[in-house]
């Protein structure tokens, strides 16, 4: 994922991986199938006032950047 992010946004926008016990349902896929590689992508889209808040707003144009990053990640997975 880091190489996909850096290819789209530049290396300065890649953060160190954050390992967490997770809170989203998606997290449990990796627990149930240990050899399955999983990741979450944080876009930094100006989310206010907070995730899952009823008045949550964010910069919707960040979705297009996320699509570019995920596309690059998929294409890079075929290079291996």
């Amino acid at each position: 994922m880091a190489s996909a992010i850096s290819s789209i946004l530049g290396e300065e926008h890649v953060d160190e991986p954050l390992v967490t016990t997770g809170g989203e349902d998606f997290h449990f896929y990796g627990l149930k199938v240990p050899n399955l590689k999983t990741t979450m992508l944080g876009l930094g889209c100006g989310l206010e006032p907070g995730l899952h808040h009823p008045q949550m707003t964010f910069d919707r144009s960040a979705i297009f950047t996320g699509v570019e990053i995920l596309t690059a990640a998929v294409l890079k997975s075929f290079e291996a």
Side-chain angles (χ1 to χ4, degrees):
M1 185 61 71
S3 65
I5 294 168
S6 64
S7 72
I8 301 300
L9 298 176
E11 197 169 315
E12 67 276 10
H13 292 283
V14 178
D15 288 338
E16 290 296 317
L18 174 65
V19 178
T20 172
T21 56
E24 298 293 328
D25 293 340
F26 180 79
H27 172 72
F28 292 102
Y29 293 133
L31 292 176
K32 291 290 184 183
V33 184
N35 62 339
L36 179 67
K37 292 183 179 182
T38 62
T39 190
M40 297 289 282
L41 174 64
L43 292 175
C45 57
L47 186 81
E48 292 290 333
L51 189 61
H52 304 300
H53 189 279
Q55 279 97 32
M56 178 185 83
T57 62
F58 60 93
D59 178 4
R60 293 177 187 265
S61 68
I63 292 170
F64 298 108
T65 303
V67 168
E68 287 183 75
I69 292 168
L70 293 174
T71 300
V74 168
L75 293 174
K76 286 176 184 298
S77 75
F78 288 113
E79 294 173 1

